[in-house]
């Protein structure tokens, strides 16, 4: 809520948050990217620092205006590609009690990166893509440190195959993270906006919390849920 009490449940804890959207280069001037603003991840990092955590924020292509909201006391590591994000997250995660993957990571990247700018020619090029590493999945299967609480994010839309919650439950079980924070992105919600609504699922796909409000309020609700997983956390 608006008048949330000051909590110190992350005092003495090291936290890693990733935010923003990766850019996968095609040539020196072009990339495959996505619309993630990084606002929710920045709000999560700020909230964690407010709760006493030592916070590393790995940011992929987050604008200076958004990043200004992180406040002081957060160690910011800028990256561009998914591979760089993976390296930065895993390196910081060697010391971390909690890792939150709020970044939108490209699922595919161009198989080849041209050394020189691609020229326009008569025939539109076909761009071959290869799968990227699933960083969240890898944190679960190859933990840099244990114990470590791993939290994923999923922007979902409903479609003919199922509702937002159907897809989210399946993803929670597939990913194996301790928590999956789901936000519906239909009707322009979630991306690029200043408010958010989320449902937090555990690894079995069960709903453990819901929250709506500003990204700061949602961030604190996520940390409330995470606190129950952190060893010795009092919530
Ligand atoms: N993620 C990741 N590495 C990737 C892709 C995703 O770490 N290469 C993480 C995201 O940071 C997020 C979570 O996985 O925390 C869910 O991302 P999402 O794109 O929703 O899941 P996918 O398994 O890629 O499923 P899809 O894109 O098909 O919905
Ligand atoms: Ca994806």
């Amino acid at each position: 809520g608006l008048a949330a009490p000051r909590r110190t449940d992350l005092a003495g804890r090291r936290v890693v948050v990733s935010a923003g959207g990766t850019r996968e280069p095609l040539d020196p001037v072009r990339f495959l990217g996505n619309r993630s603003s990084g606002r929710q991840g920045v709000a999560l990092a700020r909230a964690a620092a407010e709760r006493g955590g030592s916070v590393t924020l790995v940011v992929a292509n987050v604008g200076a205006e958004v990043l200004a909201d992180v406040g002081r006391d957060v160690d910011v590591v800028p990256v561009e590609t998914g591979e760089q994000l993976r390296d930065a997250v895993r390196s910081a995660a060697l010391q971390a009690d909690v890792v939150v993957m709020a970044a939108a990571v490209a699922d595919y990247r161009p198989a080849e990166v041209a050394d020189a700018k691609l020229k326009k020619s008569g025939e539109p090029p076909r761009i071959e893509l290869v799968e990227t590493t699933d960083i969240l999945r890898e944190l679960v299967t190859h933990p840099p440190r244990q114990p470590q609480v791993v939290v994923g994010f999923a922007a979902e839309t409903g479609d003919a195959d199922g509702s937002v919650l159907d897809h989210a439950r399946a993803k929670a079980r597939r990913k194996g993270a301790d928590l999956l924070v789901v936000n519906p992105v239909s009707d322009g919600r979630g991306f690029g906006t200043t408010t958010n609504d989320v449902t937090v699922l555990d690894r079995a796909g069960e709903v453990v919390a819901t929250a709506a409000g500003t990204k700061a309020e949602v961030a604190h609700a996520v940390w409330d849920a995470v606190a129950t997983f952190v060893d010795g956390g009092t919530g």
Side-chain angles (χ1 to χ4, degrees):
L2 285 170
R6 291 267 152 217
R7 303 178 190 83
T8 54
D9 51 6
L10 292 176
R13 303 293 179 186
R14 290 183 188 275
V15 167
V16 180
V17 177
S18 70
T22 61
R23 292 180 176 178
E24 306 303 330
L26 193 53
D27 72 11
V29 297
R30 303 185 180 95
F31 57 82
L32 296 181
N34 64 70
R35 294 183 186 280
S36 178
S37 68
R39 280 197 188 90
Q40 186 64 74
V42 167
L44 280 157
R46 185 192 180 118
E50 287 170 357
R51 295 166 81 124
S54 295
V55 185
T56 300
L57 176 63
V58 179
V59 284
N61 313 296
V62 172
E65 199 178 303
V66 171
L67 201 51
D69 284 339
V70 80
R72 271 162 283 171
D73 300 331
V74 171
D75 185 15
V76 177
V77 180
V79 298
E80 199 168 325
T81 69
E83 199 58 28
Q84 291 166 356
L85 188 113
R86 176 193 185 193
D87 290 345
V89 164
R90 288 194 68 86
S91 155
L94 287 168
Q95 319 282 339
D97 302 290
V98 185
V99 182
V100 179
M101 283 294 299
V105 184
D107 293 329
Y108 305 100
R109 63 179 162 77
E112 282 171 20
V113 182
D115 291 335
K117 187 184 167 195
L118 297 169
K119 300 303 290 178
K120 186 162 76 176
S121 64
E123 183 83 353
R126 288 175 182 276
I127 298 166
E128 195 191 336
L129 301 177
V130 294
E131 205 167 337
T132 59
T133 303
D134 188 327
I135 303 164
L136 180 68
R137 184 84 195 119
E138 188 182 54
L139 287 168
V140 173
T141 58
H142 298 87
R145 177 182 189 269
Q146 279 181 309
Q148 187 168 74
V149 180
V150 177
V151 182
F153 266 72
E156 295 287 343
T157 58
D159 60 23
D161 293 330
S163 67
V164 166
L165 199 56
D166 293 335
H167 288 300
R169 281 182 199 284
K171 188 170 288 182
R173 295 187 190 115
R174 193 165 68 234
K175 292 279 183 178
D178 296 289
L179 294 171
L180 185 73
V181 182
V182 181
N183 75 295
V185 289
S186 48
D187 312 323
R189 287 188 297 175
F191 274 114
T193 60
T194 52
T195 60
N196 209 354
D197 59 294
V198 300
T199 300
V200 184
L201 306 182
D202 64 16
R203 60 152 57 93
E206 297 299 325
V207 176
V208 296
T210 59
T214 64
K215 291 197 176 182
E217 289 166 335
V218 166
H220 276 291
V222 170
W223 289 118
D224 288 344
V226 171
T228 67
F229 278 81
V230 178
D231 175 51
T234 51

